[in-house]
Amino acid sequence: MAAGDQRKIITVADPAALAKTAADRVLARISSNNGRIAICLTGGSSPKKLYQLLATETYRSKIPWDRVHWFIGDERFVPTTDSRNNMSMARAAFLDQCAPAANIHPIPTDTANPDEAARRYEHELQSFYGADEFSSARPLFDVVLMGVGPDGHTASLFPGYPEVEEAGRWVVGVPQAHVEPFVPRVTLTLPALASCREMLFEVAGAEKRTILTQVLGDENLPANRARSAGETVWLIDKAALPENFRER
Ligand code: 6PG
């Protein structure tokens, strides 16, 4: 399936059901791969419940932690001690309790600048993948988790920003964010995020309804252009689902 193909939309009752559905899908992807597994996490508030669920016995006991590697799709360029650091949130929610330290792959934020961090992370991803070009037969990630911001951004790919058009680099620095927190970012690009078996968006809450109307209306927004080379799934809770979409 090529980028631009249909996405699958799954609606659920509430944030708890959203987290459980997401956790079940992540587990299914993990279970279908007998080799080394790579999951790309996301920041923001939406995935926190999912992360906490993965640490509960039901999921924890079914995940082969030594074979799963955890990456992050974007990072705020702040120290790991800063509460806005995406990977630190994921570490606190589940990784530090469950995953071997060597399997956690944060975007560095102690470099001179975001561009330098992007170069280092790109190198890390390419070493892990074993090539510097993607092969469609061999996706980089099993699952890429995503969220959507109020302006239609995803990862740290903001509408109208040049990083959205990046076709060669896997990771780039973003000097200025378009929404809060207004700190520089480092983000994977659309081609790097697309190299996955499944891209899984989690969207919950009435405050997402306006932007979802635009995304589901196929407006030219980064969250709409982010598509997996495999399956693209949007998990949406009732409160976030636009009225007109409900009627269909
Ligand atoms: C970030 C994120 C970003 C996020 C969306 C949704 O670093 O901010 O990775 O892309 O996923 O902004 O954020 P919420 O889940 O907080 O709504």
Side-chain angles (χ1 to χ4, degrees):
M1 191 159 87
D5 281 351
Q6 285 302 308
R7 64 193 147 212
K8 180 172 175 179
I9 294 173
I10 300 175
T11 57
V12 296
D14 52 29
L18 193 84
K20 187 184 178 307
T21 309
D24 289 344
R25 293 193 74 92
V26 169
L27 192 59
R29 288 286 171 187
I30 290 175
S31 305
S32 68
N33 184 346
N34 293 325
R36 190 181 63 168
I37 296 150
I39 312 272
C40 186
L41 302 171
T42 183
S45 55
S46 308
K48 200 168 175 186
K49 278 195 173 59
L50 158 66
Y51 297 165
Q52 288 166 338
L53 204 51
L54 293 176
T56 61
E57 199 44 34
T58 312
Y59 293 95
R60 186 178 181 159
S61 59
K62 297 190 184 102
I63 295 174
W65 293 96
D66 53 327
R67 287 195 289 116
V68 188
H69 289 257
W70 306 90
F71 295 87
I72 189 98
D74 75 309
E75 191 53 270
R76 290 96 179 257
F77 197 67
V78 294
T80 54
T81 48
D82 189 309
S83 61
R84 297 168 299 181
N85 186 284
N86 284 336
M87 193 54 125
S88 296
M89 183 275 283
R91 276 182 176 278
F94 79 116
L95 290 176
D96 283 346
Q97 305 161 56
C98 306
N103 292 10
I104 305 171
H105 304 266
I107 291 176
T109 55
D110 57 356
T111 55
N113 53 57
D115 287 339
E116 178 56 27
R119 272 190 293 276
R120 272 177 48 187
Y121 206 55
E122 181 169 276
H123 181 72
E124 182 165 354
L125 283 171
Q126 292 178 346
S127 304
F128 180 85
Y129 186 63
D132 58 11
E133 277 187 23
F134 294 115
S135 150
S136 54
R138 195 170 65 86
L140 169 60
F141 300 115
D142 291 82
V143 182
V144 168
L145 295 170
M146 297 282 250
V148 57
D151 55 351
H153 81 261
T154 193
S156 282
L157 296 166
F158 298 103
Y161 277 35
E163 294 83 16
V164 183
E165 308 306 328
E166 180 59 51
R169 298 283 310 274
W170 293 22
V171 190
V172 291
V174 183
Q176 210 181 352
H178 189 241
V179 293
E180 282 188 340
F182 292 104
V183 293
R185 313 288 185 98
V186 180
T187 188
L188 269 63
T189 58
L190 290 176
L193 293 163
S195 182
C196 63
R197 296 184 197 284
E198 177 168 337
M199 182 179 284
L200 185 58
F201 281 84
E202 278 191 279
V203 191
E207 66 280 8
K208 298 279 176 172
R209 212 180 287 162
T210 307
I211 193 61
L212 260 189
T213 308
Q214 292 173 252
V215 172
L216 299 178
D218 280 339
E219 286 191 26
N220 183 10
L221 293 165
N224 216 358
R225 290 177 55 187
R227 304 277 171 132
S228 170
E231 197 177 4
T232 305
V233 179
W234 282 68
L235 290 183
I236 304 172
D237 87 340
K238 272 202 184 123
L241 202 64
E243 288 291 339
N244 57 352
F245 197 79
R246 258 179 259 181
E247 285 160 13
R248 275 182 217 166

